Amino acid sequence: MKANILFIALLLFFSSCSKHDGSDKQAAKNDSTNVADSSSTPTSIEVIKTLTYEQREGKFFYTKYCLVCHGSEGKGDGFNAFNLNPRPKDFTEKQYMQALTDEKLIETVSQGGRGVNKSPSMPSWGGRLSKDEILYVVAYVRTFAADTTNHK
Ligand code: HEC
């Protein structure tokens, strides 16, 4: 009797193992078909390659410090943006962004809104980010309105 129960338990164990294996293989198969299907859309790794080293560094800081207000697409719609008046501008607006020089963007990020007669709710980052890091984050902010660089 004991042996029978053991046998059934083992049987259940193995059958669940093989089921598990099967579904894994199925999942792997699905994955590979998905990759094949989406050959026209680059995978995320390929997209990251389209950013320069500076832009990728900038993306790191942007995601950490700026995204809450400026949004993941730079549209000024981060989850904290709705508390802000005025709201941050849309970084994807080409005309608006082209009118802003790199110097102006660097100055705004370093000194914050208060330093450049803009809203004081734009914090100053000169104390937290190094000069290079500010250049990187501005390089990344520029990708939102660029045709050639995928900001993802
Ligand atoms: C607490 C919210 C908040 C955070 C965090 C924040 N910003 Fe801002 N930012 C603003 C607001 C609000 C403005 C709009 C100021 C205005 O138009 O008067 C702004 C404006 C700017 C501008 C100027 C754009 C223009 O219209 O001239 C730049 C560039 C900018 N932010 C970059 C950044 C970067 C880079 C970071 C991260 C390092 C960051 N911001 C973090 C709220 C924020």
Side-chain angles (χ1 to χ4, degrees):
M1 189 60 187
K2 247 191 183 167
N4 262 351
I5 291 174
L6 193 70
F7 179 72
I8 290 169
L10 277 175
L11 203 69
L12 283 174
F13 176 69
F14 281 120
S15 69
S16 71
C17 277
S18 65
K19 245 187 224 154
H20 189 72
D21 277 347
S23 59
D24 268 4
K25 268 179 212 145
Q26 190 57 41
K29 206 176 160 197
N30 281 348
D31 272 1
S32 58
T33 15
N34 281 347
V35 169
D37 283 348
S38 58
S39 52
S40 55
T41 353
T43 67
S44 54
I45 293 168
E46 282 164 342
V47 174
I48 288 168
K49 274 192 209 150
T50 67
L51 295 180
T52 64
Y53 170 81
E54 287 77 10
Q55 290 162 345
R56 253 185 294 139
E57 289 291 300
K59 182 180 181 179
F60 171 81
F61 295 109
Y62 183 90
T63 307
K64 199 167 173 188
Y65 298 123
C66 324
L67 190 149
V68 283
C69 294
H70 289 280
S72 57
E73 306 281 314
K75 293 197 169 141
D77 59 355
F79 67 81
N80 195 30
F82 303 94
N83 299 317
L84 301 171
N85 185 17
R87 296 240 187 115
K89 297 284 192 318
D90 183 348
F91 289 153
T92 69
E93 257 185 43
K94 288 197 174 66
Q95 275 197 328
Y96 181 77
M97 290 308 285
Q98 273 162 11
L100 295 172
T101 62
D102 286 344
E103 289 69 29
K104 191 76 200 172
L105 293 180
I106 292 163
E107 203 188 352
T108 310
V109 177
S110 309
Q111 302 180 14
R114 207 183 289 277
V116 294
N117 274 329
K118 294 212 167 205
S119 163
S121 46
M122 164 62 188
S124 71
W125 298 94
R128 184 174 294 262
L129 300 176
S130 73
K131 275 190 180 154
D132 279 349
E133 288 165 351
I134 290 174
L135 292 182
Y136 296 157
V137 90
V138 166
Y140 182 64
V141 163
R142 284 287 190 208
T143 67
F144 291 120
D147 294 323
T148 47
T149 320
N150 193 326
H151 67 271
K152 287 174 186 154

mmCIF file of all heavy atoms in Angstrom, residues 12 15 18 24 31 33 49-50 63 69-70 74 79 85 88 97 102 107 111 117 122 125 129-130 140 142 148 150:
data_model
loop_
_atom_site.group_PDB
_atom_site.id
_atom_site.type_symbol
_atom_site.label_atom_id
_atom_site.label_comp_id
_atom_site.label_asym_id
_atom_site.label_seq_id
_atom_site.Cartn_x
_atom_site.Cartn_y
_atom_site.Cartn_z
ATOM 1 N N LEU A 12 2.931 11.215 -10.480
ATOM 2 C CA LEU A 12 2.410 12.588 -10.553
ATOM 3 C C LEU A 12 3.557 13.574 -10.727
ATOM 4 O O LEU A 12 3.491 14.502 -11.534
ATOM 5 C CB LEU A 12 1.619 12.922 -9.282
ATOM 6 C CG LEU A 12 0.226 12.322 -9.206
ATOM 7 C CD1 LEU A 12 -0.399 12.607 -7.856
ATOM 8 C CD2 LEU A 12 -0.657 12.878 -10.325
ATOM 9 N N SER A 15 4.952 13.344 -14.214
ATOM 10 C CA SER A 15 4.066 13.848 -15.258
ATOM 11 C C SER A 15 4.002 15.378 -15.184
ATOM 12 O O SER A 15 3.951 16.040 -16.213
ATOM 13 C CB SER A 15 2.676 13.222 -15.143
ATOM 14 O OG SER A 15 2.039 13.699 -13.997
ATOM 15 N N SER A 18 7.126 16.672 -16.898
ATOM 16 C CA SER A 18 7.165 16.651 -18.355
ATOM 17 C C SER A 18 6.208 17.711 -18.915
ATOM 18 O O SER A 18 6.494 18.330 -19.918
ATOM 19 C CB SER A 18 6.829 15.258 -18.877
ATOM 20 O OG SER A 18 5.501 14.950 -18.537
ATOM 21 N N ASP A 24 7.458 24.968 -21.442
ATOM 22 C CA ASP A 24 8.642 25.802 -21.641
ATOM 23 C C ASP A 24 9.061 25.819 -23.096
ATOM 24 O O ASP A 24 9.369 26.854 -23.660
ATOM 25 C CB ASP A 24 9.804 25.288 -20.788
ATOM 26 C CG ASP A 24 9.818 25.980 -19.440
ATOM 27 O OD1 ASP A 24 8.889 26.765 -19.194
ATOM 28 O OD2 ASP A 24 10.741 25.715 -18.648
ATOM 29 N N ASP A 31 8.429 32.465 -28.573
ATOM 30 C CA ASP A 31 9.374 33.579 -28.553
ATOM 31 C C ASP A 31 10.098 33.701 -29.876
ATOM 32 O O ASP A 31 10.194 34.769 -30.449
ATOM 33 C CB ASP A 31 10.414 33.378 -27.443
ATOM 34 C CG ASP A 31 9.893 33.961 -26.134
ATOM 35 O OD1 ASP A 31 8.765 34.472 -26.157
ATOM 36 O OD2 ASP A 31 10.612 33.884 -25.125
ATOM 37 N N THR A 33 9.255 32.558 -32.741
ATOM 38 C CA THR A 33 8.412 32.981 -33.858
ATOM 39 C C THR A 33 8.161 34.467 -33.773
ATOM 40 O O THR A 33 8.153 35.141 -34.790
ATOM 41 C CB THR A 33 7.038 32.258 -33.879
ATOM 42 O OG1 THR A 33 6.836 31.649 -32.634
ATOM 43 C CG2 THR A 33 6.943 31.263 -35.003
ATOM 44 N N LYS A 49 21.219 50.539 -29.494
ATOM 45 C CA LYS A 49 22.428 50.792 -30.270
ATOM 46 C C LYS A 49 22.344 52.082 -31.070
ATOM 47 O O LYS A 49 23.356 52.646 -31.436
ATOM 48 C CB LYS A 49 22.662 49.626 -31.245
ATOM 49 C CG LYS A 49 23.412 48.476 -30.635
ATOM 50 C CD LYS A 49 23.841 47.542 -31.734
ATOM 51 C CE LYS A 49 23.939 46.123 -31.226
ATOM 52 N NZ LYS A 49 23.648 45.150 -32.266
ATOM 53 N N THR A 50 21.123 52.515 -31.394
ATOM 54 C CA THR A 50 21.027 53.721 -32.207
ATOM 55 C C THR A 50 21.319 54.981 -31.392
ATOM 56 O O THR A 50 21.479 56.036 -31.948
ATOM 57 C CB THR A 50 19.638 53.863 -32.873
ATOM 58 O OG1 THR A 50 18.670 54.086 -31.847
ATOM 59 C CG2 THR A 50 19.279 52.624 -33.669
ATOM 60 N N THR A 63 15.918 59.120 -16.948
ATOM 61 C CA THR A 63 14.961 58.169 -16.383
ATOM 62 C C THR A 63 14.917 58.296 -14.867
ATOM 63 O O THR A 63 13.861 58.205 -14.254
ATOM 64 C CB THR A 63 15.366 56.734 -16.782
ATOM 65 O OG1 THR A 63 15.525 56.712 -18.196
ATOM 66 C CG2 THR A 63 14.320 55.726 -16.379
ATOM 67 N N CYS A 69 8.541 64.244 -14.197
ATOM 68 C CA CYS A 69 7.848 65.446 -14.656
ATOM 69 C C CYS A 69 7.767 65.507 -16.184
ATOM 70 O O CYS A 69 6.746 65.863 -16.745
ATOM 71 C CB CYS A 69 8.555 66.697 -14.153
ATOM 72 S SG CYS A 69 8.476 66.861 -12.361
ATOM 73 N N HIS A 70 8.882 65.171 -16.857
ATOM 74 C CA HIS A 70 8.930 65.382 -18.309
ATOM 75 C C HIS A 70 8.359 64.228 -19.118
ATOM 76 O O HIS A 70 8.106 64.383 -20.305
ATOM 77 C CB HIS A 70 10.365 65.698 -18.738
ATOM 78 C CG HIS A 70 10.809 67.070 -18.299
ATOM 79 N ND1 HIS A 70 10.461 68.212 -18.983
ATOM 80 C CD2 HIS A 70 11.525 67.475 -17.232
ATOM 81 C CE1 HIS A 70 10.966 69.276 -18.361
ATOM 82 N NE2 HIS A 70 11.614 68.855 -17.284
ATOM 83 N N GLY A 74 9.161 62.450 -23.250
ATOM 84 C CA GLY A 74 9.570 63.852 -23.265
ATOM 85 C C GLY A 74 8.432 64.825 -23.537
ATOM 86 O O GLY A 74 8.656 65.998 -23.831
ATOM 87 N N PHE A 79 4.183 61.546 -14.488
ATOM 88 C CA PHE A 79 3.057 61.444 -13.542
ATOM 89 C C PHE A 79 3.008 62.600 -12.555
ATOM 90 O O PHE A 79 1.977 62.878 -11.968
ATOM 91 C CB PHE A 79 3.030 60.078 -12.841
ATOM 92 C CG PHE A 79 4.179 59.820 -11.914
ATOM 93 C CD1 PHE A 79 4.182 60.329 -10.616
ATOM 94 C CD2 PHE A 79 5.256 59.048 -12.327
ATOM 95 C CE1 PHE A 79 5.241 60.079 -9.760
ATOM 96 C CE2 PHE A 79 6.317 58.796 -11.486
ATOM 97 C CZ PHE A 79 6.321 59.311 -10.198
ATOM 98 N N ASN A 85 2.331 73.853 -12.554
ATOM 99 C CA ASN A 85 1.756 74.953 -13.302
ATOM 100 C C ASN A 85 2.811 76.048 -13.417
ATOM 101 O O ASN A 85 3.150 76.643 -12.401
ATOM 102 C CB ASN A 85 0.508 75.481 -12.584
ATOM 103 C CG ASN A 85 -0.192 76.553 -13.393
ATOM 104 O OD1 ASN A 85 0.036 76.685 -14.584
ATOM 105 N ND2 ASN A 85 -1.030 77.344 -12.717
ATOM 106 N N PRO A 88 5.693 71.273 -17.865
ATOM 107 C CA PRO A 88 6.884 71.269 -18.723
ATOM 108 C C PRO A 88 6.478 71.230 -20.199
ATOM 109 O O PRO A 88 5.457 70.636 -20.537
ATOM 110 C CB PRO A 88 7.601 69.971 -18.338
ATOM 111 C CG PRO A 88 7.001 69.535 -17.046
ATOM 112 C CD PRO A 88 5.620 70.096 -16.992
ATOM 113 N N MET A 97 11.831 73.327 -29.751
ATOM 114 C CA MET A 97 13.138 72.853 -29.292
ATOM 115 C C MET A 97 14.277 73.429 -30.119
ATOM 116 O O MET A 97 15.356 73.707 -29.599
ATOM 117 C CB MET A 97 13.183 71.313 -29.296
ATOM 118 C CG MET A 97 12.323 70.668 -28.218
ATOM 119 S SD MET A 97 12.625 71.303 -26.550
ATOM 120 C CE MET A 97 14.190 70.516 -26.152
ATOM 121 N N ASP A 102 21.721 74.759 -27.272
ATOM 122 C CA ASP A 102 22.269 73.799 -26.304
ATOM 123 C C ASP A 102 22.674 74.533 -25.021
ATOM 124 O O ASP A 102 22.446 74.036 -23.927
ATOM 125 C CB ASP A 102 23.494 73.092 -26.886
ATOM 126 C CG ASP A 102 23.106 72.061 -27.937
ATOM 127 O OD1 ASP A 102 21.914 71.686 -27.986
ATOM 128 O OD2 ASP A 102 23.988 71.648 -28.712
ATOM 129 N N GLU A 107 22.111 75.511 -19.366
ATOM 130 C CA GLU A 107 21.935 76.497 -18.305
ATOM 131 C C GLU A 107 20.673 76.195 -17.492
ATOM 132 O O GLU A 107 20.677 76.238 -16.254
ATOM 133 C CB GLU A 107 21.820 77.883 -18.955
ATOM 134 C CG GLU A 107 22.166 79.038 -18.046
ATOM 135 C CD GLU A 107 21.841 80.381 -18.717
ATOM 136 O OE1 GLU A 107 21.503 80.415 -19.920
ATOM 137 O OE2 GLU A 107 21.918 81.401 -18.010
ATOM 138 N N GLN A 111 20.917 75.333 -13.623
ATOM 139 C CA GLN A 111 20.459 76.334 -12.656
ATOM 140 C C GLN A 111 19.004 76.194 -12.259
ATOM 141 O O GLN A 111 18.549 76.856 -11.328
ATOM 142 C CB GLN A 111 20.696 77.732 -13.231
ATOM 143 C CG GLN A 111 22.154 77.988 -13.569
ATOM 144 C CD GLN A 111 22.377 79.375 -14.125
ATOM 145 O OE1 GLN A 111 21.498 80.236 -14.025
ATOM 146 N NE2 GLN A 111 23.534 79.599 -14.722
ATOM 147 N N ASN A 117 14.736 82.432 -15.212
ATOM 148 C CA ASN A 117 13.424 83.076 -15.273
ATOM 149 C C ASN A 117 12.321 82.178 -15.816
ATOM 150 O O ASN A 117 11.433 82.628 -16.534
ATOM 151 C CB ASN A 117 13.491 84.349 -16.136
ATOM 152 C CG ASN A 117 13.918 85.527 -15.302
ATOM 153 O OD1 ASN A 117 13.618 85.589 -14.089
ATOM 154 N ND2 ASN A 117 14.640 86.447 -15.915
ATOM 155 N N MET A 122 10.929 73.722 -11.908
ATOM 156 C CA MET A 122 12.015 72.994 -12.584
ATOM 157 C C MET A 122 13.238 73.090 -11.674
ATOM 158 O O MET A 122 13.792 74.166 -11.485
ATOM 159 C CB MET A 122 12.289 73.608 -13.966
ATOM 160 C CG MET A 122 13.620 73.208 -14.595
ATOM 161 S SD MET A 122 13.764 71.423 -14.898
ATOM 162 C CE MET A 122 15.486 71.317 -15.389
ATOM 163 N N TRP A 125 19.992 71.231 -11.248
ATOM 164 C CA TRP A 125 20.677 69.935 -11.170
ATOM 165 C C TRP A 125 22.172 70.068 -11.064
ATOM 166 O O TRP A 125 22.882 69.074 -11.001
ATOM 167 C CB TRP A 125 20.279 69.066 -12.378
ATOM 168 C CG TRP A 125 18.816 68.790 -12.366
ATOM 169 C CD1 TRP A 125 17.843 69.501 -13.023
ATOM 170 C CD2 TRP A 125 18.135 67.796 -11.594
ATOM 171 N NE1 TRP A 125 16.609 68.991 -12.715
ATOM 172 C CE2 TRP A 125 16.758 67.945 -11.854
ATOM 173 C CE3 TRP A 125 18.567 66.784 -10.726
ATOM 174 C CZ2 TRP A 125 15.791 67.124 -11.260
ATOM 175 C CZ3 TRP A 125 17.607 65.962 -10.141
ATOM 176 C CH2 TRP A 125 16.241 66.136 -10.410
ATOM 177 N N LEU A 129 24.275 66.695 -10.579
ATOM 178 C CA LEU A 129 24.891 66.109 -11.772
ATOM 179 C C LEU A 129 26.178 66.855 -12.118
ATOM 180 O O LEU A 129 26.238 68.088 -11.973
ATOM 181 C CB LEU A 129 23.917 66.186 -12.955
ATOM 182 C CG LEU A 129 22.571 65.460 -12.798
ATOM 183 C CD1 LEU A 129 21.680 65.725 -14.013
ATOM 184 C CD2 LEU A 129 22.784 63.962 -12.631
ATOM 185 N N SER A 130 27.168 66.114 -12.586
ATOM 186 C CA SER A 130 28.416 66.751 -13.017
ATOM 187 C C SER A 130 28.178 67.462 -14.355
ATOM 188 O O SER A 130 27.148 67.254 -14.998
ATOM 189 C CB SER A 130 29.514 65.700 -13.176
ATOM 190 O OG SER A 130 29.262 64.924 -14.341
ATOM 191 N N TYR A 140 20.414 63.647 -24.556
ATOM 192 C CA TYR A 140 19.273 62.730 -24.600
ATOM 193 C C TYR A 140 17.959 63.492 -24.816
ATOM 194 O O TYR A 140 17.126 63.067 -25.624
ATOM 195 C CB TYR A 140 19.197 61.887 -23.322
ATOM 196 C CG TYR A 140 18.056 60.908 -23.376
ATOM 197 C CD1 TYR A 140 18.055 59.885 -24.327
ATOM 198 C CD2 TYR A 140 16.957 61.031 -22.533
ATOM 199 C CE1 TYR A 140 16.993 59.000 -24.424
ATOM 200 C CE2 TYR A 140 15.895 60.148 -22.621
ATOM 201 C CZ TYR A 140 15.912 59.133 -23.565
ATOM 202 O OH TYR A 140 14.854 58.270 -23.658
ATOM 203 N N ARG A 142 17.554 66.082 -26.485
ATOM 204 C CA ARG A 142 17.529 66.422 -27.911
ATOM 205 C C ARG A 142 16.975 65.292 -28.783
ATOM 206 O O ARG A 142 16.455 65.548 -29.863
ATOM 207 C CB ARG A 142 18.943 66.753 -28.398
ATOM 208 C CG ARG A 142 19.460 68.118 -27.978
ATOM 209 C CD ARG A 142 18.784 69.194 -28.745
ATOM 210 N NE ARG A 142 19.403 70.502 -28.551
ATOM 211 C CZ ARG A 142 18.722 71.642 -28.658
ATOM 212 N NH1 ARG A 142 17.448 71.641 -28.966
ATOM 213 N NH2 ARG A 142 19.328 72.792 -28.477
ATOM 214 N N THR A 148 16.237 61.356 -36.608
ATOM 215 C CA THR A 148 17.199 60.308 -36.917
ATOM 216 C C THR A 148 17.481 59.373 -35.750
ATOM 217 O O THR A 148 17.868 58.242 -35.961
ATOM 218 C CB THR A 148 18.530 60.945 -37.356
ATOM 219 O OG1 THR A 148 18.845 61.969 -36.415
ATOM 220 C CG2 THR A 148 18.415 61.532 -38.737
ATOM 221 N N ASN A 150 16.326 57.235 -32.513
ATOM 222 C CA ASN A 150 15.227 56.685 -31.737
ATOM 223 C C ASN A 150 15.579 56.819 -30.270
ATOM 224 O O ASN A 150 16.586 56.280 -29.818
ATOM 225 C CB ASN A 150 15.046 55.209 -32.112
ATOM 226 C CG ASN A 150 13.749 54.688 -31.583
ATOM 227 O OD1 ASN A 150 13.290 55.096 -30.523
ATOM 228 N ND2 ASN A 150 13.158 53.772 -32.331
#
